Amino acid sequence: DGVDDSLSFSQGSLNIDGGPITIAAIVRSSNWASAGVLTPMVVSHTNAGVSLWGMYAGGLSDGDLTYTGSLTAAAATGTNYLANNVWYLIAVTKADGTTTPRAHRYRFDTNAWDHQDMGGTVADQGAPGASMTVRIGESADAPDFGVLAGIEVAAVWGRVLTDAEVEEQAKEAVAAA
């Protein structure tokens, strides 16, 4: 219904500090976030509700895919990198340390892949501890994603998946549909 359409999970012993990490989701939106607005998809938070790392729509231009680590961000940009009314499997991978995240985008309508390094580097955020949460479609410092879109599946790995491994996730999603 567009009101409080988000989920929050305990991160428990996962203890991911923003690298190495892979965040992936199958998403669609009728109105991706516009320039200057970050709309959360999958975001980690401290027990005080401060976001640590996350994958967002929006950023520097309309339809960006953005990865943030606390106050720094890197974006996959292009003319409507995420177009309206299209289903995607999108993912962000980031190695350990201060590194450049990598964006992965699969368009279900055209069966097309794109893998690109994002602009800028992002540092790890320190071990978050067992009291952390991972929020899907919500962040303490941005509007809820559920108002704009659908998130069918979301996943987080404590390692960097290769381009081929990310592509395998889309094949498995199509086979399961």
Side-chain angles (χ1 to χ4, degrees):
D1 65 3
V3 179
D4 297 325
D5 290 342
S6 62
L7 297 170
S8 181
F9 297 94
S10 171
Q11 189 168 300
S13 61
L14 189 60
N15 214 26
I16 297 173
D17 67 357
I21 190 171
T22 299
I23 307 168
I26 296 177
V27 297
R28 176 189 176 277
S29 177
S30 60
N31 185 18
W32 288 106
S34 59
V37 177
L38 289 177
T39 306
M41 287 184 266
V42 180
V43 184
S44 174
H45 290 78
T46 68
N47 58 359
V50 176
S51 62
L52 290 178
W53 51 259
M55 184 170 68
Y56 297 80
L60 299 176
S61 61
D62 291 354
D64 279 358
L65 172 63
T66 300
Y67 174 84
T68 65
S70 192
L71 298 177
T72 59
T77 61
T79 304
N80 290 321
Y81 185 78
L82 299 174
N84 291 338
N85 300 310
V86 174
W87 281 102
Y88 293 97
L89 183 147
I90 54 174
V92 175
T93 54
K94 184 191 158 307
D96 195 28
T98 301
T99 59
T100 300
R102 187 161 175 78
H104 310 269
R105 174 187 63 177
Y106 173 73
R107 285 185 64 140
F108 285 93
D109 63 334
T110 61
N111 192 30
W113 274 103
D114 175 71
H115 305 279
Q116 66 174 272
D117 290 340
M118 299 175 104
T121 60
V122 178
D124 294 344
Q125 302 306 305
S131 62
M132 306 305 295
T133 59
V134 174
R135 300 180 188 181
I136 298 173
E138 175 189 13
S139 175
D141 48 12
D144 287 356
F145 189 70
V147 174
L148 302 176
I151 300 174
E152 292 298 311
V153 177
V156 179
W157 290 262
R159 68 180 186 89
V160 174
L161 297 181
T162 65
D163 291 356
E165 288 175 313
V166 172
E167 290 187 19
E168 186 62 31
Q169 298 303 312
K171 291 176 189 172
E172 291 177 14
V174 169

